[in-house]
Every structure is written in C-alpha cells, then in structure tokens.
Amino acid sequence: AVLKGSTARPLTLAVVNPEGLWLVAATQRAREFEPPQSFLSRADCTGVVAAYFNGDAALDLAFAASGNVTLLKAVLETR
C-alpha cells in the first residue's frame, strides 16, 4: 500500500511479510528507500491496503493476518 508523501513526511510503502507489517519510507534521493521499519508484529500477515475507511480524509491501513482483517485508523494531528 502507498501512503502519499507530504511536507511533514516522505512517501511511504506499507508492506507485509509472515512476521508482520512494515513501513518503508522514500529518501530525498530518486529511487532510494530507508531500511524497512517494523510497524506491527503479527504472525501470518498476507495483505495490506491503504484507504479512507472512515471518511476523515486521512489514509487508514487494513491488513490481513491468520484469516482476520485488522483496521488501523489514522490519527489526525492538531497544529
């Protein structure tokens, strides 16, 4: 899943593997990424999607693991 970049954070990819959910952020250089960062440890992850699930204009993540779907709602920051 792709999380669009902004002035506050770079473009980030959300990916899963059998150990959990990982985030991979783009660097300032073309075609380069930071090392993957573990976001959530969960066995048997099989898929992830980014979408506006609750209509608040912030991308949420949903992922599948062990036959269950988990929704991670984005938290909007107040400035």
Side-chain angles (χ1 to χ4, degrees):
V2 177
L3 305 173
K4 294 179 184 177
S6 69
T7 56
R9 66 173 177 75
L11 173 120
T12 303
L13 303 176
V15 297
V16 295
N17 67 17
E19 287 86 38
L21 179 63
W22 297 76
L23 298 179
V24 183
T27 67
Q28 296 293 329
R29 300 176 69 140
R31 297 182 293 272
E32 286 188 8
F33 291 88
E34 298 290 343
Q37 300 295 313
S38 177
F39 183 74
L40 183 70
S41 294
R42 187 73 51 96
D44 301 323
C45 284
T46 56
V48 63
V49 64
Y52 302 107
F53 289 106
N54 58 355
D56 64 1
L59 277 174
D60 306 302
L61 289 175
F63 70 95
S66 301
N68 298 304
V69 175
T70 301
L71 176 62
L72 303 172
K73 291 190 268 182
V75 177
L76 299 175
E77 293 182 3
T78 305
R79 293 185 187 234

